[in-house]
Amino acid sequence: VMPCYNGEKTLQKTLDSVFAQSFQEFKLYCVNDGSTDGTAKILAQYALLNKDMVVIDKVNQGQTRAKNDALKVAKGKYIAFIDSDDVWDNEKLLYQYACMEKERDVGLCYTNGYYIDVDDSTVTAEQFPVIADAKILDKNTCDFDENLVFAYIPAQDDETVKLSDMGQANPATLTVPDD
């Protein structure tokens, strides 16, 4: 799921990183959130070349609404989010999919990241905080690259949405909280 608003400067690099994934069994839902630059044209061009890309055009209502609009139509076992100015490592989805499949009680899987500048130089590495009650999976458990860190939260009550159950659940029941 990718919300897009006036992202023409970074969007091509982002889309290239998504479609360069070693794991190719996915569908990309892009929501053009009322962009006034060349975002819609770029999305249309990529959608013509990629049968697994769906573009949703809507009036601008913000990133949260854009994500929720995509979640209403998304189908699949797992949901991954990317912003239109992000770039994924080529094996991100492969590692996360393998981890989620192996660790069946996983409720959420995420990675650390890097801030890069316009020249593709790494500026800083970002260590995302470990969510309360999360467990860090041992590197050997899921056989992932040492630069990627995965955590999970076991579902503990009825209010917890397990992404690993998305194949059986209606994805429209998963929503992103308002900003």
Side-chain angles (χ1 to χ4, degrees):
V1 169
M2 181 192 321
C4 305
Y5 178 73
N6 290 347
E8 72 178 344
K9 291 181 181 175
T10 57
L11 186 55
Q12 288 177 305
K13 187 175 280 192
T14 299
L15 290 168
D16 288 345
S17 81
V18 170
F19 291 111
Q21 292 295 299
S22 57
F23 181 84
Q24 288 286 307
E25 296 177 39
F26 65 87
K27 187 170 286 259
L28 177 63
Y29 295 87
C30 298
V31 179
N32 177 24
D33 190 29
S35 298
T36 58
D37 64 358
T39 296
K41 183 178 179 180
I42 294 167
L43 290 173
Q45 289 170 340
Y46 274 78
L48 285 174
L49 300 172
N50 297 284
K51 65 178 176 39
D52 292 318
M53 180 174 169
V54 175
V55 177
I56 302 165
D57 288 302
K58 58 186 267 334
V59 298
N60 180 262
Q61 293 183 307
Q63 185 179 45
T64 301
R65 286 259 176 105
K67 286 180 179 178
N68 285 329
D69 287 345
L71 289 171
K72 289 176 186 174
V73 297
K75 302 200 181 334
K77 191 171 183 180
Y78 303 112
I79 303 289
F81 293 100
I82 185 168
D83 291 331
S84 60
D85 61 352
D86 292 348
V87 177
W88 277 346
D89 178 271
N90 290 354
E91 295 189 326
K92 174 192 168 36
L93 291 181
L94 177 68
Y95 289 136
Q96 288 187 305
Y97 179 81
C99 189
M100 296 289 282
E101 286 292 298
K102 186 170 184 179
E103 298 289 329
R104 301 305 292 174
D105 61 342
V106 166
L108 171 70
C109 183
Y110 66 99
T111 67
N112 287 324
Y114 299 93
Y115 288 105
I116 55 175
D117 63 18
V118 293
D119 299 320
D120 287 336
S121 299
T122 299
V123 177
T124 60
E126 179 167 358
Q127 297 285 325
F128 292 106
V130 175
I131 301 170
D133 299 324
K135 296 179 181 177
I136 302 296
L137 299 178
D138 177 31
K139 177 182 174 210
N140 297 321
T141 301
C142 292
D143 193 32
F144 53 82
D145 185 291
E146 63 189 31
N147 293 319
L148 302 176
V149 177
F150 297 88
Y152 73 92
I153 305 173
Q156 296 177 356
D157 55 43
D158 292 339
E159 294 180 28
T160 304
V161 176
K162 282 190 55 129
L163 297 184
S164 58
D165 289 340
M166 293 303 284
Q168 293 79 31
N170 178 356
T173 61
L174 176 65
T175 58
V176 178
D178 289 332
D179 295 332

